[in-house]
Amino acid sequence: MATTVLDTTAPAGAAARRMPWRSPVGQPAYARPALLVITVLAAVLYAWGINHSHYHTFYANAVRSMTESWKAFFYGSFDPGNSITLDKLPGFLWPQAISARIFGFHPWALTLPQVLEGVASLLVLYRVVRRWAGDNAALIASGAFLLTPVAVGLFRTAVEDPLFTLCVLLAAEATQRAAEAGRLRPLVMAAVWVGIGFQSKMLEAWAVLPALAVVYLISAPVPLRKRLAHLGISAVVMTAVSASWMVAVALTPANDRPYVDGTTNNSAFSMVVGYNFLNRFSSLGISAASTGSITATRGGGHGGGHGGSQGGGAPYGGGTGEAAGAAGGGAPHPRHAVGSGTPGTHAGVQAGADRLPDPAHGGGPGGFGGGGQDGWSKMFGSALASQTGWLYPFAAIAVVCGLLWRRGSPRTDRARAGFALWGTWLATYFLVFSAGSVGGHTYYMGVIAVPLAALTGAGTTMLWRAYRAGGRRAWVLPGAVAATAAWGAFIAGEFPSFLPWLAPAVGVLGLTAVVLLVLARPGGARSGGRLALVGLAASLVAVLLAPSAWAVQVFNPAYGSSGMGAVGPSGMRGGHGGHGTAKWPGGAHGKGGFGQSSGQLTTGQRELLAYTSAHRGSAEYVFATDGWNSASPYILAKGTRILPLGGFSGQVPFPTEAGFRQLVTSGKVRYVLLGGGRGMGALFGGGGRGTTPTTRIADWVRSHCTRVPAAAYGGTQSPKTATAGAGGAAQTLYRCGPAR
């Protein structure tokens, strides 16, 4: 009879490898299944509704252009003709362009990379926290990150921060490995990740350096001289990777590459340092005027509203906002707009528009009591805190206790190093965002959600151990739960028309959890293990209930997510948030304008495109137009070679008036479409007639070129109907050069 012999010598981890849902040896049996559940939930939350995605208008133009040629791919050209770049480094768009090349140019194909980056970020966070504080801390941290509203909104939005967040997390993971053994190789790898993050978010990636350097300096088990040498080598590598694209642009002759947007001197360094960095700190008295960049005053939370004097509601996509602005009544914030802009035309405040000032006093959303979303208190304002700040009290208590309670430990203590890492990370970015202007860009806060989640996970396990040990430290856990629940109830109370039961529920749960923890405290009259566990569970629910209620709004079309990364309501106290406004990934509020486009041409736009394409002859461009927003529909829909004048702001001196005349004389430009491209010039302190190269070009075209009757391409339609531009503004087509 045959005998079956069981192989008892197989490695213990072999079964786990064959069945990936089982935890590896050394981990609790529930760890791997719980992580898989969290990962699946993350994928669902991030990917939900991406089939309803809209194009992030400004950036999607560049992605379309990047799929047309590898030159456009490398430089991040806004237009297929490679005339001008984005006003950002193009690294964050490379995954989107690759996805579009693989799956075709569809809104969901541009959203998909952010979904994958989000799931990867969650898994890296789990890995870092697990190595630092254990399995339970890692699971709590992953769950907290998953349920943070801004994380859900961020990884559904086609902007810079998803890739940036993943890169800095990978840098932290590599630094952690380097600090454990004092090894140079993983530290250099961390430098590479920071450099790649720089390609996505520029100098904001460098704000993580203090946290990484502190961890290696205080905990690496090698002599100080060697630690400093390792950091120096890594700094050189990081600088080289960070500056690689800028150096490549600087070494390329200007005639062989696109013009660098956001600058007056066609310099990538001016775009990065002046336009995208110094301009954000104008409230501190810092000026970018001498850097060769287009400058702007970004408010910083000082001064009054901006709408009437700065062009009103035009940046917000027409409709109600435009009418209010024209009346001089101040620009309504996009969160309160009804969204009646023209699809595929004016994107308003797209992700590059962080120079767009928010209302600073009264009327606009932002801080408590009517304060704006700028100034030193902005991080505690309802607009940002409701997206990322639910765990402020718990994280602050955790980092303070973690550092104080470990102060007598050896220098290489891993636990203290972890609290130093996340505490420094949180403090640095908190100060950077408090000092700089973030406008309405809630997705900036994703990098804040990372340390908050990590500190909540590790803090929970640390405070739980202290609670079980008894003594004075046992009171810290109930105190942290009480403070966090009270803060969460307060934030939820700022939106009384949204889930009105939420604030009372958080308050009651927080009180219940504290009572249970006090009753079950070791040494108390009713101390007990089971009661304490119930108190711990109630504590986690009380702390995470409010952000969870916001995060799951991705399933609700009325509150799903906006192009700015916000999830849930966004009105002020007493407001109704987003009722009736369809919000989907990569899209925004309402039917059209705010940072989204369906990528479809109107009948009039199709007729105009057909006419100019048929009559342009050998011209390099189908037509030129006075603003990126007028070029956008044609680039998105057809990948048409349109020459946008003036860059994003409308004030970039490309082309110059003389340069444009040369384009006409040489036959590269035959048609010019004027009237709908407002750009963002008014927000940059300009925009009057004759004050910029673009307006001077427009004046020259009106004086020297022949107007094309609307009937030539639009039948009996009026010019406004046939060629409606941003917000429905009338546009006029001109033919330049010799008659044909």
Side-chain angles (χ1 to χ4, degrees):
M1 183 177 66
T3 303
T4 301
V5 180
L6 297 178
D7 183 7
T8 59
T9 64
R17 286 194 296 271
R18 288 192 297 269
M19 292 177 285
W21 57 86
R22 291 190 176 181
S23 298
V25 175
Q27 295 186 24
Y30 57 80
R32 179 65 63 83
L35 176 61
L36 290 175
V37 169
I38 292 173
T39 304
V40 170
L41 289 175
V44 171
L45 288 174
Y46 302 160
W48 183 263
I50 65 170
N51 56 309
H52 296 285
S53 296
H54 287 75
Y55 294 118
H56 195 288
T57 311
F58 186 67
Y59 293 154
N61 287 276
V63 176
R64 180 60 186 258
S65 301
M66 292 162 76
T67 63
E68 298 292 320
S69 73
W70 290 110
K71 179 178 180 179
F73 180 90
F74 177 76
Y75 289 110
S77 299
F78 173 80
D79 62 295
N82 291 302
S83 63
I84 192 167
T85 71
L86 287 175
D87 60 351
K88 301 284 188 295
L89 294 188
F92 75 100
L93 291 180
W94 287 337
Q96 295 183 38
I98 292 173
S99 177
R101 282 177 175 266
I102 295 173
F103 300 109
F105 188 73
H106 310 290
W108 65 264
L110 273 59
T111 305
L112 180 61
Q114 284 68 245
V115 174
L116 299 178
E117 289 158 5
V119 173
S121 295
L122 185 143
L123 293 174
V124 174
L125 176 65
Y126 174 85
R127 180 183 176 90
V128 175
V129 176
R130 179 181 175 274
R131 183 183 287 121
W132 163 43
D135 299 284
N136 293 327
L139 290 173
I140 295 173
S142 301
F145 185 69
L146 169 67
L147 298 174
T148 301
V150 73
V152 176
L154 168 64
F155 296 118
R156 304 159 54 81
T157 307
V159 291
E160 310 99 312
D161 291 67
L163 180 59
F164 158 67
T165 302
L166 175 59
C167 286
V168 291
L169 268 167
L170 288 167
E173 192 273 338
T175 302
Q176 183 187 60
R177 288 188 286 111
E180 289 177 358
R183 297 170 55 210
L184 175 61
R185 181 176 296 181
L187 193 64
V188 169
M189 194 65 239
V192 171
W193 285 121
V194 173
I196 297 175
F198 186 96
Q199 302 302 326
S200 174
K201 204 65 191 290
M202 296 166 289
L203 285 163
E204 188 178 326
W206 284 11
V208 79
L209 295 178
L212 305 184
V214 162
V215 168
Y216 196 77
L217 277 176
I218 69 173
S219 65
V222 292
L224 178 61
R225 180 179 299 179
K226 195 170 184 179
R227 279 176 271 154
L228 293 173
H230 286 179
L231 287 173
I233 294 171
S234 300
V236 171
V237 173
M238 180 209 67
T239 303
V241 177
S242 298
S244 57
W245 187 88
M246 294 186 292
V247 171
V249 170
L251 295 178
T252 303
N255 291 335
D256 296 333
R257 61 170 174 80
Y259 188 95
V260 179
D261 195 6
T263 71
T264 61
N265 60 358
N266 197 12
S267 167
F269 290 90
S270 298
M271 183 261 285
V272 170
V273 176
Y275 181 77
N276 282 300
F277 179 67
L278 296 180
N279 271 338
R280 284 168 169 73
F281 298 96
S282 58
S283 64
L284 302 180
I286 297 174
S287 173
S290 62
T291 64
S293 74
I294 299 296
T295 59
T297 299
R298 300 179 186 246
H302 309 290
H306 302 277
S309 64
Q310 293 189 342
Y316 302 114
T320 304
E322 190 164 340
H333 195 277
R335 292 192 180 93
H336 299 294
V338 296
S340 56
T342 303
T345 55
H346 200 168
V349 192
Q350 49 77 38
D354 29 70
R355 38 267 187 216
L356 214 171
D358 280 319
H361 292 287
F368 301 122
Q373 200 164 290
D374 269 318
W376 287 98
S377 64
K378 73 168 75 72
M379 298 298 290
F380 297 98
S382 60
L384 297 183
S386 62
Q387 294 298 315
T388 195
W390 303 94
L391 301 175
Y392 282 167
F394 203 100
I397 293 171
V399 73
V400 170
C401 291
L403 293 175
L404 288 178
W405 293 354
R406 309 290 299 188
R407 63 183 181 273
S409 303
R411 179 182 64 80
T412 57
D413 180 58
R414 180 184 300 180
R416 182 175 56 192
F419 284 108
L421 168 67
W422 299 115
T424 306
W425 179 325
L426 179 61
T428 302
Y429 278 105
F430 209 95
L431 289 174
V432 167
F433 291 141
S434 296
S437 176
V438 300
H441 297 70
T442 51
Y443 60 79
Y444 280 21
M445 300 298 107
V447 75
I448 294 286
V450 172
L452 289 174
L455 289 169
T456 298
T460 299
T461 58
M462 176 188 65
L463 297 182
W464 173 249
R465 287 193 298 269
Y467 172 83
R468 298 295 290 165
R472 290 182 299 176
R473 293 183 179 180
W475 292 102
V476 178
L477 178 60
V481 172
T484 308
W487 171 247
F490 177 68
I491 297 176
E494 289 294 297
F495 304 87
S497 63
F498 173 74
L499 303 181
W501 55 266
L502 186 58
V506 172
V508 170
L509 275 171
L511 179 62
T512 301
V514 170
V515 170
L516 290 173
L517 290 174
V518 170
L519 291 176
R521 186 175 64 88
R526 299 185 179 182
S527 61
R530 290 184 178 178
L531 188 61
L533 287 174
V534 173
L536 177 63
S539 299
L540 292 173
V541 174
V543 167
L544 296 177
L545 176 63
S548 303
W550 282 58
V552 297
Q553 296 307 309
V554 296
F555 302 120
N556 182 352
Y559 293 108
S561 63
S562 75
M564 296 294 103
V567 175
S570 46
M572 280 295 291
R573 179 185 296 274
H576 291 277
H579 283 297
T581 58
K583 310 177 192 176
W584 291 104
H589 303 256
K591 181 180 177 182
F594 185 64
Q596 70 172 10
S597 171
S598 64
Q600 301 295 318
L601 294 178
T602 65
T603 300
Q605 289 168 342
R606 288 195 299 270
E607 292 171 342
L608 181 140
L609 179 60
Y611 177 86
T612 52
S613 298
H615 293 83
R616 69 168 177 163
S618 60
E620 179 178 343
Y621 297 97
V622 176
F623 60 83
T625 185
D626 56 343
W628 67 266
N629 47 347
S630 291
S632 175
Y634 305 95
I635 295 175
L636 286 179
K638 301 294 184 179
T640 310
R641 283 192 167 221
I642 310 294
L643 175 63
L645 308 177
F648 171 76
S649 67
Q651 298 198 23
V652 173
F654 177 83
T656 62
E657 183 180 354
F660 180 80
R661 292 182 183 182
Q662 178 60 36
L663 290 172
V664 172
T665 302
S666 64
K668 293 183 177 180
V669 171
R670 179 167 298 278
Y671 289 97
V672 182
L673 184 66
L674 297 180
R678 292 196 274 288
M680 293 293 174
L683 299 175
F684 286 74
R689 284 177 58 86
T691 61
T692 69
T694 301
T695 53
R696 288 193 289 271
I697 289 171
D699 290 340
W700 182 87
V701 168
R702 294 185 182 99
S703 300
H704 294 82
C705 300
T706 303
R707 178 176 175 176
V708 179
Y713 53 87
T716 59
Q717 293 176 312
S718 67
K720 179 174 180 179
T721 304
T723 59
Q731 295 178 293
T732 304
L733 183 67
Y734 292 85
R735 176 173 50 79
C736 300
R740 293 176 60 88

